Every structure is written in C-alpha cells, then in structure tokens.
Amino acid sequence: MNPDQIESLVKQVIAQMSAMPAASAVPATARIAMLTGERKIEVKEVPIPQVGDDEILVKVEGCGVCGTDVHEWKGDPFGLIPVVLGHEGTGEVVALGKNVKKDTAGNPIKLGDKLVTSIIPCGECNICKLHPDQPEMCENAGVYGLLGDKPEHRLNGWFSTHILIKGGSTFFVVNDLSLDQRMLLELAAVSVHAVERANTTRLLNFNSKVLIQGCGPVGLMTIAVAKAFGINHLIALDGDAQRLAMAKRLGAHTTINFKEIPQLQDRVEAVKAVTTGMGADFAFQCTGAPAAAADVYKYIRRGGGLCEMGFFVNGGDCTINPHFDLCNKEITLVGSWTYGPHEYPLVIAFLRQAKEIGLPVEDLITHRFPLDQLNEAMETNVAHKGIKIAYVAD
C-alpha cells in the first residue's frame, strides 16, 4: 500500500470509530429506592456487579408509577417487602454482555440503545408448555420491579439509577420513541391487550358505541387505543373533571360525570340518550371499585359486550343479577390480564400511530419526581392529583 492508501484507510477507521456509540461510564455503585415497609421507600447505595455474558446493564432514565406499585407501597398485598418497585421503566444500555446481539423482536442491540422490558414467562408451567400463545397467563411470570429483594441481584427494579437485565428476559429496543412514550409503553401494553381481547367478541367496529368506565391512566390509555383502533363514538364515565377533559382530548365523543348524575338509573338514561336509546355496544370497566363493576352491566345494550380490566389486585366482590345482567342481555364477557411480550411490537406501533394522528398520549404524564422523592410520588398518586405520575432520573 502506498502512503495515500494508508492515510485513506486510517481516515476510514477513525470515521468508523467516531460513528460508534460511546459507552457511558459505569459507576461502581447504583442507587436503588427500596420499599422497606408499608409507605416507606428508602434510597440505598449498592454495588454494580460485573455484567455477565448474557446480561445488560441499563442506566435508568425514567419509570411510570403504576397503580400496582401504589398498592404494594400502601399495604404489601403481594408480600414482596423488601422490594425495589418500578416496572414501567426505560433507559440507556451502558454495558452489554458478549452473547447479547438482538432484542426479543430480533432487532440488533448495541451500547447507547434505549430499552424497555416486558414480562418473563417461566417456560415450565402448564400454560407455557400447553398454551405458549398465552404467555400473560404464565403461572410464574416474572417482571422487573415485582421480584422482591435478592441480595445477589438488587438491581431488579426500575426505581433505581441502574437495572441489570438478566439472561432469559424479554426486552425491546425503542430508540425512536421519546422518554415519555417509553415510560407509557407498559401502560399502553395493558390497554392494547384489553382491546385485542375485546376484539375477539367481534363487537368492535367503526360504528360501535363504546363506554369506558373509569378515566384513570388505564382508562384514558384505553380510550386512546380504541380511538387509534378506529372506534369513533367513545363514551367516558368518571367523576373527575380534569380526567374527563383529558378523555375528550384523547378522542372521547361524550363524557359523563357521575358526580353530577349520582343516581345509577339516571346515568343509564344518559348513556342510552347517546346510543340510540339502546345502551353501549361494548364497555371497558377500568376501575377497581366493586360497585362500579356491578353498575357497568346496566349501561350495555342487549347483545353487547364487556371487557373487565379494572382488578389487578383483589378489590372485593360485587353483586350482579345473572338473569338481567348476563343471560337476558346475552352479554359477551371477557377478562383482561396484563399482556405478553409478543404484543410489544404492536404496542410500539400504536405509540407511533398515536403520535402520527395527533393523540396527546404523552400529556398523560402530569407529575415527575426524582428518586429520593418517591414517597411523595406515591402520596400524589393516592391523592388523585394529576393523572400519570413518573420517576425521572436526574
């Protein structure tokens, strides 16, 4: 090779090295927000272990606060204390094991990529073996942020500065989504899965009149998913004016404030008034209130359908009349429970579509807290201030 060729080759190598993502400095320790008792989150410092060949170290950028996190913070219904919560998280890959080449969808992964995680089916239970198309039904499914304290692996929740993704996990590269979109992705997965479950009834179409009862984060996201799905007449039912206003922005055609119409029969008539006198073709029940779960049947027309998705924890029993509420109406009823990793590409596509058609999904996040203020974040959620609460790293 002559000097000019050598110089050209050196320039190419330098250019390629400049184009490669620089690895972020990995500190010796991480900070974790550990739930050590009821209503008590303490920030602790723990060592960052060496990243194994099948592992990924992620620098956390943010994580949504889920109602499940709040339930665990309030009373430990899952018996996980001590635990590092946070399962709606996202961050940047800062260290990558040599065996990790692709994400769960088959996309290449590299240092600097933005990443989210999904549930981890066990692969061993009867559901996993006999019904692998239903991973959300796995009897032993794991999820980062609900794993409990493991002294050998304390970086297992997104309420932290770093999280260590172990081999066998499910994860996805989402570089084209904003931080807010990424923090809302797990919430969107819940709603996308529910709409997919509802669609099995064959009652959803462009002409359907659909009621969403409960306009917390889950209900509002379900409105957005249903709107993107092509349902044009959405009826939002809630008692909070701010949330009903957000429902309008996300595509609700009609809003009903139950505080302004306290009697159930009057609310039923209000629903019938905007559904040609019949009632809703379909309803999504998104509250965790047993009384609301009983009421929702009254809003649905004969031959209609219902997706119950409000009870991620045991909120208690409700009473319905099987004759009037189910048999006489021939209600088609489906339940919805979390989501599966196989649905994440669809969820990512929904978030892109929502942005494209102008649905202000990112505006669901109204409050952001640093790591050392997560107790305040929980209190804000319990007080029903704002809509979606999030932890955002400094």
Side-chain angles (χ1 to χ4, degrees), residues 35 39 41 63-78 80 83-89 143-146 158-159 186 313 374 378 381-382 388-389:
L35 181 66
R39 296 177 179 261
I41 293 176
C63 182
V65 175
C66 178
T68 303
D69 296 319
V70 177
H71 283 297
E72 181 62 18
W73 176 80
K74 286 169 61 179
D76 194 26
F78 307 113
L80 294 175
V83 60
V84 179
L85 295 171
H87 57 271
E88 298 181 351
V143 60
Y144 286 99
L146 291 171
W158 286 96
F159 288 169
E186 194 271 351
V313 297
L374 278 173
M378 298 295 179
N381 190 300
V382 170
K388 185 67 178 175
I389 315 301

Side-chain angles (χ1 to χ4, degrees), residues 14-288:
I14 292 174
Q16 290 173 356
M17 291 178 64
S18 299
M20 292 174 62
S24 299
V26 178
T29 60
R31 297 170 70 230
I32 59 174
M34 181 175 285
L35 181 66
T36 57
E38 292 182 12
R39 296 177 179 261
K40 186 179 181 182
I41 293 176
E42 298 181 78
V43 176
K44 300 178 179 290
E45 192 167 345
V46 298
I48 294 179
Q50 184 175 351
V51 177
D53 292 345
D54 300 306
E55 298 175 343
I56 308 168
L57 183 68
V58 177
K59 182 179 180 182
V60 178
E61 295 179 328
C63 182
V65 175
C66 178
T68 303
D69 296 319
V70 177
H71 283 297
E72 181 62 18
W73 176 80
K74 286 169 61 179
D76 194 26
F78 307 113
L80 294 175
I81 291 176
V83 60
V84 179
L85 295 171
H87 57 271
E88 298 181 351
T90 183
E92 178 184 341
V93 176
V94 294
L96 200 59
K98 68 178 184 180
N99 295 335
V100 186
K101 306 295 183 183
K102 295 181 179 180
D103 71 3
T104 302
N107 300 308
I109 185 171
K110 64 183 184 304
L111 292 175
D113 280 342
K114 308 299 184 183
L115 180 146
V116 295
T117 52
S118 185
I119 65 167
I120 313 164
C122 74
E124 300 296 329
C125 69
N126 286 335
I127 287 288
C128 286
K129 290 179 178 179
L130 302 177
H131 303 280
D133 59 328
Q134 294 180 293
E136 72 279 4
M137 294 287 97
C138 170
E139 297 168 6
N140 307 300
V143 60
Y144 286 99
L146 291 171
L147 296 176
D149 182 39
K150 301 181 186 299
E152 74 282 3
H153 179 29
R154 283 186 160 147
L155 301 183
N156 62 12
W158 286 96
F159 288 169
S160 57
T161 60
H162 294 78
I163 187 169
L164 185 65
I165 309 303
K166 290 284 193 177
S169 301
T170 60
F171 54 89
F172 298 84
V173 174
V174 284
N175 292 335
D176 65 321
L177 300 183
S178 70
L179 174 58
D180 284 356
Q181 286 176 307
R182 288 183 275 131
M183 289 193 294
L184 291 167
L185 199 151
E186 194 271 351
L187 172 64
V190 170
S191 295
V192 167
H193 179 75
V195 172
E196 288 291 295
R197 289 282 294 139
N199 199 36
T200 65
T201 68
R202 302 179 67 182
L203 289 166
L204 299 184
N205 56 58
F206 291 115
N207 197 41
S208 300
K209 297 174 180 61
V210 175
L211 173 77
I212 292 85
Q213 178 171 256
C215 292
V218 170
L220 289 170
M221 184 63 80
T222 301
I223 289 172
V225 173
K227 185 67 176 181
F229 190 77
I231 299 171
N232 294 310
H233 194 151
L234 294 160
I235 305 159
L237 175 61
D238 198 89
D240 186 292
Q242 177 190 12
R243 295 185 174 192
L244 288 172
M246 189 67 201
K248 275 279 192 182
R249 295 181 61 204
L250 289 170
H253 179 274
T254 303
T255 60
I256 297 173
N257 191 324
F258 67 76
K259 290 184 178 178
E260 297 174 357
I261 310 176
Q263 298 302 315
L264 173 59
Q265 189 53 46
D266 293 337
R267 293 197 299 274
V268 170
E269 293 304 319
V271 172
K272 287 184 176 181
V274 294
T275 56
T276 62
M278 298 175 65
D281 296 304
F282 199 90
F284 291 90
Q285 204 298 114
C286 303
T287 80

